[in-house]
Amino acid sequence: MKHLFKEGSDKSKPTLLLLHGTGGTEEDLLPLADMIDPTASVLGVQGNVSEGGMPRFFRRLEEGVFDEEDLIFRTNELNEFVDQAAKDHGFDRNNVVAIGYSNGANIAASMLFHIANSLKGAILHHPMVPRRGLELPDLTDHPVFIAAGKNDPLCKPEESEELKELLEQGNAKVDLHWEMNGHQLSRAEVEKAAEWYQKNFGWGMK
Ligand code: MLT
């Protein structure tokens, strides 16, 4: 997959897996990584699916309706890519924290839903429920931060609550942060994500 890797100054920190929104690139979320942990290694990935020239991480049938078969295929593809990247770049595969926005948050949530230990934790900006009716892997010690907008027309407040509940049923510790915004990513929510990260993965934490 098209990607960038930036080695961090502190190898004991998680590697931040950056997953962009529809139409983005592997570089889009670099400013977030810098705000969340400037000492961590960064793996930015570009989605392999094109929707009219706009990169995405999986196909959708229409806005908000996912192609489940492709979602599962692409989730495994991304997971295998991260496995290989850990070998190629020498980072700890068991210590990867995803930072995703929108479509990127959805594939990160899908990794948590489908593949045990694929992520150590995740920061999900404006995610949706990737699939329903699944039994999740055990997510004890895999904390998740969700930032959602009370006025997000795409990721409705009820869906953010539902995602939190589903992750909690898998034993994840979930922090849900609300903005009054719509679907856009705000600096304020990234600052909250940075505070959450500091508590969960900062100095002296595992
Ligand atoms: C998706 O398809 O993943 C969601 O609708 C968010 C987006 O527009 O990318």
Side-chain angles (χ1 to χ4, degrees), residues 5-15 37-42:
F5 180 75
K6 213 171 72 148
E7 193 168 80
S9 56
D10 185 348
K11 305 282 166 34
S12 73
K13 289 302 198 60
T15 293
D37 189 348
T39 68
S41 296
V42 172

Side-chain angles (χ1 to χ4, degrees), residues 21-22 56 58 60 63-64 66 102-103 106 128 154 183:
T22 298
R56 284 179 54 87
F58 56 89
R60 60 181 161 183
E63 197 171 271
F66 301 161
S102 190
N103 183 243
N106 293 340
M128 297 166 74
L154 215 55
H183 195 59

